[in-house]
Amino acid sequence: MPAPARELRARRSCHAVPGSNPRFLEKAQGLDSDQVFLDLEDSVAPVAKEGARANIVEVLTTGEWGDRVRTVRVNDWTTRWTYRDVIEVVEGAGAHLDCLMLPKVQTAEQVAALDLLLTQVETAMGHEVGRIGIEAQIENALGLVNVDAIATASPRVETIIFGPADFMASINMKSLVVGEQPPGYDVGDAYHYILMRLLMAARAHDLQVIDGPYLQIRDLDGFRRVAGRSAALGFDGKWTLHPSQIEVANEVYSPLQADYDHAENILDAYAYHTSERGGATGAVMLGDEMIDEASRKMALVISGKGRAAGMSRGEVWTPPE
Ligand code: GLV
Ligand code: MG
């Protein structure tokens, strides 16, 4: 029996903030990202890790984060920092935290270990057990091979995240430019398999799936192009590293207004026509278009994304008199 899906939260833009930079931690509170993740991992130097934990606890407990998703990325289990990251952050700010992000996940056991540790800290602190979710970052070949087991390793898992920089290093890809095609590969998209594999695992297990960073932060056209590809496949959002990327991500991962209106109209028209009052038919016409149960399922996806993004309807379908 699959675990019940966790609450669907908008994650079009997932903004990265180094936990060692108090100025950025302050500034992130005023940005328009759907999610913020306060980092203890690769954007924080080893000597600054301990101070960063304290900074993060301070800004989570005293800052104004509105309704955005608040996540902390801890260090991965192969380091010496992970357990103390979890204990200090969750003991200090567990009630102000939505998720922990676990980077470089390679096996289901690593997710299970984080679940157990979280459960202990939540229990000891008198917090609701299981409320804090897990975001699993897939950043190497072993993680990708095990992604289905990782996705189902704990009911806390909410998202699968692609970590392209570490991933490129892990598979020896001949390029240093994250998100762009490796020179010499001119027969397709070198990331297609990875993105599709992550997407299949996420959809098979009712999770969200998030694209990773685009490092050329001044190249907004490049960001839009790369984000547009994963959005077209069905990804829910992307990391942002600079405030200017947030607006683009929010736009690219939202449905177009016309598609959102159309989806809501399909849902209304289909509900009406399949009801007793509307004639109880299965396949029905909406304008010039024939819609049926499969159309309803497609419409639910677009409408779900639009509602999560706070969109409102333009043109509204009304039942015949
Ligand atoms: C992010 O963590 C990446 O490795 O791309
Ligand atoms: Mg990484």
Side-chain angles (χ1 to χ4, degrees):
M1 215 14 213
R6 295 175 70 92
E7 182 197 349
L8 179 71
R9 320 190 210 220
R11 282 189 168 91
R12 298 167 303 171
S13 46
C14 304
H15 194 64
V17 191
S20 51
N21 190 318
R23 191 167 65 82
F24 287 176
L25 288 168
E26 189 61 37
K27 194 171 168 199
Q29 297 169 46
L31 300 176
D32 198 21
S33 63
D34 288 339
Q35 169 171 323
V36 65
F37 81 84
L38 313 181
D39 194 22
L40 287 168
E41 206 224 11
D42 282 355
S43 69
V44 176
V47 291
K49 300 267 188 205
E50 281 165 28
R53 290 178 190 141
N55 294 341
I56 286 177
V57 168
E58 165 80 16
V59 290
L60 280 176
T61 50
T62 61
E64 294 288 333
W65 296 99
D67 58 4
R68 63 175 73 74
V69 182
R70 300 151 302 174
T71 293
V72 171
R73 179 167 71 163
V74 297
N75 288 280
D76 82 273
W77 280 122
T78 64
T79 69
R80 63 196 160 88
W81 295 296
T82 321
Y83 80 103
R84 282 237 66 87
D85 288 346
V86 177
I87 290 168
E88 283 195 29
V89 168
V90 181
E91 279 190 356
H96 306 269
L97 183 66
D98 298 302
C99 288
L100 286 184
M101 185 187 302
L102 187 62
K104 301 182 179 66
V105 181
Q106 309 195 58
T107 62
E109 288 73 21
Q110 293 181 330
V111 173
L114 178 58
D115 182 329
L116 285 174
L117 182 53
L118 266 170
T119 297
Q120 282 214 321
V121 185
E122 285 170 338
T123 306
M125 298 300 293
H127 294 154
E128 182 191 338
V129 172
R131 191 191 59 79
I132 296 175
I134 294 177
E135 306 187 356
Q137 222 192 334
I138 303 296
E139 311 202 68
N140 54 40
L142 188 56
L144 191 68
V145 167
N146 287 332
V147 67
D148 285 308
I150 289 168
T152 52
S154 157
R156 294 182 189 263
V157 178
E158 289 191 18
T159 69
I160 300 287
I161 303 169
F162 179 37
D166 276 301
F167 204 101
M168 289 164 73
S170 118
I171 61 171
N172 296 359
M173 195 181 260
K174 252 175 100 184
S175 168
L176 284 171
V177 188
V178 172
E180 299 297 346
Q181 300 303 314
Y185 191 73
D186 56 4
V187 291
D189 177 358
Y191 303 94
H192 183 74
Y193 168 72
I194 308 167
L195 293 176
M196 271 305 206
R197 187 68 194 85
L198 297 177
L199 181 64
M200 291 308 129
R203 294 294 172 250
H205 305 297
D206 260 342
L207 306 178
Q208 287 185 315
V209 57
I210 306 297
D211 197 1
Y214 184 75
L215 305 187
Q216 320 300 316
I217 58 172
R218 292 186 205 295
D219 182 1
L220 276 187
D221 289 339
F223 178 85
R224 181 182 288 278
R225 181 166 30 80
V226 173
R229 288 187 196 135
S230 66
L233 290 179
F235 273 57
D236 298 291
K238 184 169 176 65
W239 281 16
T240 56
L241 303 181
H242 187 270
S244 62
Q245 295 179 333
I246 294 174
E247 196 185 331
V248 181
N250 287 348
E251 182 195 321
V252 170
Y253 291 93
S254 293
L256 295 172
Q257 183 68 48
D259 288 345
Y260 175 65
D261 290 345
H262 189 49
E264 294 288 11
N265 287 343
I266 287 175
L267 294 178
D268 285 355
Y270 188 70
Y272 171 77
H273 286 294
T274 51
S275 71
E276 294 290 344
R277 189 163 74 92
T281 34
V284 298
M285 293 304 285
L286 174 65
D288 292 338
E289 180 188 13
M290 167 103 39
I291 59 172
D292 65 6
E293 178 56 26
S295 321
R296 188 186 70 87
K297 291 202 178 86
M298 289 194 296
L300 274 177
V301 173
I302 306 283
S303 111
K305 287 196 177 192
R307 288 180 200 179
M311 292 175 79
S312 41
R313 289 175 76 167
E315 198 187 317
V316 179
W317 178 87
T318 47
E321 289 304 312

